[in-house]
Amino acid sequence: MAAAFATAEANDERKEEILVRDDAPKLLAALKEMKDGLDLVRSKVEAITRKVRENQLPTANGIGYLEAKNHLLLGYCQDIVYYLLRKAKGLSVDGHPVVRSLVEIRLFLEKIRPIDKKAEYQIQKLTSAADVASAREKGGNAKDKGKGEHSDEEDLLKYRPNPDMMDTKSAPDGQDNDGVYRPPKFMPTIMDDEDKRRKQDSRRDKAIARMATENPYIKEIIDDAADRPEEWKETVGDESREFVKYMRQREEQEKQEEELFTRAPVTKRDKQMEKRIRRQLNGLGGLTDGFDLGMNMLFDGDKEDDGGSSKSRGKSGSRKKHMKSSKKRKRH
Amino acid sequence: MADSKAAAAVTLRTRKFMTNRLLSRKQFVLEVIHPGRANVSKAELKERLAKLYEVKESNCIFVFKFRTHFGGGKSTGFGLIYDNLEAAKKFEPKYRLIRNGLATKVEKSRKQMKERKNRAKKIRGVKKVRSNHKMLKMHMSKLILV
């Protein structure tokens, strides 16, 4: 039993040795890198602390935004240092508040990056102006006071947006000289016509609503689903769709005519349509609309008097015959 | 003979009544309900309107552009009532004055007008005045022949 334990321990130790041997070169490289980095950081930090001690980097009257950023970055550095310390000493970092704080500060820095970019130009201007001002302060005050005031005003004016710095992607003189302004094409743009879209949407909604009530098939489906009683609508004679449409049109026209105190001229077409509809109403013309097939078969094609339609067909037929014969003659 | 008017009562209704001060007239849309009749004559309508609006001269009333509605029984048209005869003669178009008897139609022979126009087509510019002389000459020659 003791021998078994000893062999087991030996095995474990050998495994550890194997692990250590494999990872050793990597570990050595990593440690060397770390040492170099730390030396660099130490030198930099020493320089900065020296400067701060000598009050060379005052942030009292600076840009508030930059001061806040400064604080954030400092906090971040502190957290990282503490994190590395814990890791180096072998203590676990799991669940420690430092990790959470690290993540938060990182998030803040990421979020203010776009603001940074936008304010870059202004900050640059201000810092350069500050440098110039401090340089002038150091070298001779009495003489330059007058100049300094003047230049202050100038400097203030320099903060306005500078159109000369804008980069134009197209040369203004390289365009057509026909006086028409043609915008430079460097990016595909979608012409978003808000009114048109809204009008189209409203039209679609109206069409759907109309279909729901007027289209007989859909109406039937909807009525069925809503458990409404069946609706029976007349579709012959006075209530035929043609007549209803005609009446609606006429009423609309009448209203407009009364409004404008004039009359629209009655064309031949209007007269023909009116005659046809009158005939339909006065007789029983509308009843046999749907029975064309059946009635034809029963009565050997003896249809009701269609008025003008047969005549017109006859005319066209004779015209065609005439054309045909003339063509035949021409060939000969 | 039964009085046709009594058989079917004719009702007049005016809509969109407006007093047009610029043209010194009253204009309105006239709606006539005449069940059983084809339509009502303009003279009858003018009588009725004169009674309705207490107009001294029925010559100043003009009704026009009547159209019978589908199915009959109702017709709609326009009506104007002028303040005085002078205003009517000034503002109304010729054909309506003729209908009311305030003017006479000038019978222009269409053939003569067309001949004149065709003759004028041959000449360009101010010389059309000379063409009149040409016409006179032609007429004179005809007379001599006769």
Short mmCIF file of all heavy atoms in Angstrom, two decimals, chain B residues 6 15-16 28 39 47 50 74 78 84 86 111 123 127-128 132 137 142:
data_model
loop_
_atom_site.label_atom_id
_atom_site.label_comp_id
_atom_site.label_asym_id
_atom_site.label_seq_id
_atom_site.Cartn_x
_atom_site.Cartn_y
_atom_site.Cartn_z
N ALA B 6 -102.53 71.79 -62.39
CA ALA B 6 -103.09 71.28 -61.13
C ALA B 6 -102.83 69.79 -60.99
O ALA B 6 -102.65 69.29 -59.89
CB ALA B 6 -104.58 71.56 -61.07
N ARG B 15 -81.19 77.23 -54.97
CA ARG B 15 -80.05 76.88 -54.10
C ARG B 15 -78.87 77.74 -54.46
O ARG B 15 -78.78 78.29 -55.56
CB ARG B 15 -79.69 75.41 -54.31
CG ARG B 15 -80.64 74.47 -53.69
CD ARG B 15 -79.94 73.23 -53.19
NE ARG B 15 -78.89 72.81 -54.07
CZ ARG B 15 -78.96 71.79 -54.88
NH1 ARG B 15 -80.06 71.09 -54.94
NH2 ARG B 15 -77.95 71.45 -55.65
N LYS B 16 -77.90 77.83 -53.55
CA LYS B 16 -76.67 78.60 -53.79
C LYS B 16 -77.01 80.01 -54.26
O LYS B 16 -76.47 80.52 -55.22
CB LYS B 16 -75.80 77.90 -54.84
CG LYS B 16 -75.28 76.59 -54.33
CD LYS B 16 -74.08 76.19 -55.12
CE LYS B 16 -73.74 74.74 -54.98
NZ LYS B 16 -73.39 74.34 -53.62
N PHE B 28 -78.41 82.03 -59.01
CA PHE B 28 -78.76 80.89 -58.16
C PHE B 28 -78.90 79.64 -59.02
O PHE B 28 -79.01 79.71 -60.24
CB PHE B 28 -80.07 81.13 -57.42
CG PHE B 28 -81.15 81.68 -58.29
CD1 PHE B 28 -81.96 80.85 -59.05
CD2 PHE B 28 -81.35 83.05 -58.38
CE1 PHE B 28 -82.95 81.37 -59.86
CE2 PHE B 28 -82.34 83.57 -59.19
CZ PHE B 28 -83.15 82.73 -59.94
N ASN B 39 -90.78 68.09 -68.77
CA ASN B 39 -90.05 69.18 -68.14
C ASN B 39 -90.91 70.44 -68.22
O ASN B 39 -91.97 70.43 -68.82
CB ASN B 39 -88.68 69.41 -68.78
CG ASN B 39 -88.78 69.73 -70.25
OD1 ASN B 39 -89.87 69.96 -70.78
ND2 ASN B 39 -87.66 69.71 -70.94
N GLU B 47 -92.18 83.07 -65.24
CA GLU B 47 -93.38 83.58 -64.56
C GLU B 47 -93.30 83.29 -63.08
O GLU B 47 -93.52 84.18 -62.23
CB GLU B 47 -94.60 82.88 -65.14
CG GLU B 47 -95.31 83.59 -66.24
CD GLU B 47 -96.51 82.76 -66.66
OE1 GLU B 47 -97.46 82.67 -65.87
OE2 GLU B 47 -96.44 82.16 -67.75
N ALA B 50 -90.76 85.36 -61.29
CA ALA B 50 -91.16 86.77 -61.14
C ALA B 50 -92.09 86.91 -59.93
O ALA B 50 -91.98 87.85 -59.14
CB ALA B 50 -91.83 87.25 -62.42
N LYS B 74 -87.40 65.60 -62.02
CA LYS B 74 -86.62 66.68 -61.41
C LYS B 74 -85.63 67.21 -62.44
O LYS B 74 -84.98 66.43 -63.14
CB LYS B 74 -85.86 66.13 -60.21
CG LYS B 74 -85.18 67.19 -59.39
CD LYS B 74 -84.93 66.67 -57.99
CE LYS B 74 -83.50 66.94 -57.61
NZ LYS B 74 -83.19 66.62 -56.24
N PHE B 78 -79.68 76.84 -64.05
CA PHE B 78 -79.20 78.07 -63.43
C PHE B 78 -80.14 79.20 -63.75
O PHE B 78 -80.81 79.20 -64.77
CB PHE B 78 -77.80 78.41 -63.93
CG PHE B 78 -76.83 77.30 -63.74
CD1 PHE B 78 -76.28 76.66 -64.82
CD2 PHE B 78 -76.49 76.88 -62.48
CE1 PHE B 78 -75.38 75.62 -64.65
CE2 PHE B 78 -75.59 75.85 -62.30
CZ PHE B 78 -75.05 75.22 -63.39
N ASN B 84 -81.82 95.74 -63.46
CA ASN B 84 -82.54 96.55 -64.45
C ASN B 84 -82.17 96.08 -65.85
O ASN B 84 -81.27 95.27 -66.04
CB ASN B 84 -82.20 98.03 -64.27
CG ASN B 84 -80.72 98.24 -64.07
OD1 ASN B 84 -79.89 97.55 -64.67
ND2 ASN B 84 -80.37 99.17 -63.20
N GLU B 86 -80.91 97.72 -68.40
CA GLU B 86 -79.63 98.17 -68.96
C GLU B 86 -78.52 97.21 -68.56
O GLU B 86 -77.68 96.82 -69.37
CB GLU B 86 -79.27 99.57 -68.50
CG GLU B 86 -80.16 100.66 -69.07
CD GLU B 86 -81.45 100.76 -68.31
OE1 GLU B 86 -81.40 100.79 -67.05
OE2 GLU B 86 -82.51 100.77 -68.94
N LYS B 111 -72.60 81.55 -96.62
CA LYS B 111 -71.88 81.42 -97.88
C LYS B 111 -71.12 82.70 -98.19
O LYS B 111 -69.96 82.69 -98.57
CB LYS B 111 -72.88 81.11 -98.98
CG LYS B 111 -72.23 80.81 -100.27
CD LYS B 111 -73.07 79.90 -101.14
CE LYS B 111 -72.24 79.66 -102.39
NZ LYS B 111 -72.93 78.99 -103.41
N ILE B 123 -54.83 87.82 -100.28
CA ILE B 123 -54.04 89.04 -100.11
C ILE B 123 -53.44 89.03 -98.73
O ILE B 123 -54.04 88.53 -97.78
CB ILE B 123 -54.94 90.28 -100.27
CG1 ILE B 123 -55.83 90.11 -101.48
CG2 ILE B 123 -54.09 91.53 -100.40
CD1 ILE B 123 -56.91 91.11 -101.54
N LYS B 127 -53.61 95.37 -97.48
CA LYS B 127 -54.28 95.54 -98.77
C LYS B 127 -55.68 94.95 -98.75
O LYS B 127 -56.38 95.02 -99.74
CB LYS B 127 -53.46 94.85 -99.86
CG LYS B 127 -52.11 95.50 -100.01
CD LYS B 127 -51.29 94.78 -101.05
CE LYS B 127 -49.83 94.90 -100.69
NZ LYS B 127 -49.16 93.63 -100.75
N LYS B 128 -56.09 94.39 -97.60
CA LYS B 128 -57.43 93.81 -97.55
C LYS B 128 -58.49 94.89 -97.80
O LYS B 128 -59.60 94.59 -98.19
CB LYS B 128 -57.66 93.19 -96.17
CG LYS B 128 -56.90 91.91 -96.05
CD LYS B 128 -57.42 91.02 -94.96
CE LYS B 128 -56.37 89.99 -94.78
NZ LYS B 128 -55.91 89.30 -93.89
N ASN B 132 -62.09 95.12 -100.68
CA ASN B 132 -63.49 95.58 -100.65
C ASN B 132 -63.86 96.21 -102.00
O ASN B 132 -64.94 95.97 -102.52
CB ASN B 132 -63.66 96.62 -99.53
CG ASN B 132 -63.95 95.91 -98.21
OD1 ASN B 132 -64.34 94.75 -98.22
ND2 ASN B 132 -63.79 96.60 -97.11
N LYS B 137 -66.64 96.06 -107.19
CA LYS B 137 -66.56 95.97 -108.65
C LYS B 137 -67.32 94.77 -109.14
O LYS B 137 -68.08 94.85 -110.11
CB LYS B 137 -65.09 95.85 -109.08
CG LYS B 137 -64.44 97.16 -109.38
CD LYS B 137 -63.22 96.95 -110.26
CE LYS B 137 -62.07 97.78 -109.72
NZ LYS B 137 -60.80 97.34 -110.22
N LYS B 142 -72.19 92.62 -111.85
CA LYS B 142 -73.37 91.75 -111.87
C LYS B 142 -74.63 92.57 -112.20
O LYS B 142 -75.47 92.17 -112.98
CB LYS B 142 -73.52 91.09 -110.49
CG LYS B 142 -72.70 89.82 -110.37
CD LYS B 142 -73.17 89.00 -109.19
CE LYS B 142 -72.13 87.92 -108.90
NZ LYS B 142 -72.08 87.58 -107.51
#
